[in-house]
Amino acid sequence: MDLAEQKISLIQWIIELEDEQVIKKLEVLRSLDSKERLPNEVIELLELSSKASLDDCIKHTRSKNLISK
């Protein structure tokens, strides 16, 4: 997944967020001024995400879509 695809994926995920606590945590991350201040877990997840192939990813769905099947 290239950088542009990662950004689009993150934007789509953020648009669908309804959990205010998660949004507040994202705002905290946005306010950080350097990579060194990010938690190691976040850095590791970002690195794993950048290496992931789209073919290996699972398409995100809403729970109501899963229930209706």
Side-chain angles (χ1 to χ4, degrees):
M1 186 181 307
D2 67 13
L3 184 58
E5 291 171 327
Q6 286 177 306
K7 289 178 182 181
I8 291 168
S9 176
L10 284 170
I11 289 168
Q12 290 171 340
W13 177 72
I14 291 169
I15 288 171
E16 294 179 12
L17 272 178
E18 295 181 11
D19 186 338
E20 190 174 340
Q21 291 301 100
V22 174
I23 293 171
K24 286 180 181 181
K25 290 178 182 180
L26 287 171
E27 288 176 341
V28 169
L29 283 175
R30 182 175 64 171
S31 69
L32 297 175
D33 59 358
S34 70
K35 187 175 179 179
E36 291 79 32
R37 294 181 58 183
L38 287 173
N40 287 335
E41 294 84 356
V42 172
I43 294 171
E44 290 173 15
L45 287 173
L46 290 171
E47 290 170 352
L48 285 173
S49 175
S50 67
K51 296 175 186 174
S53 166
L54 284 178
D55 296 332
D56 296 332
C57 295
I58 298 171
K59 182 178 178 181
H60 292 277
T61 60
R62 294 176 184 241
S63 57
K64 64 181 176 182
N65 294 345
L66 293 173
I67 294 171
S68 67
K69 290 185 179 181

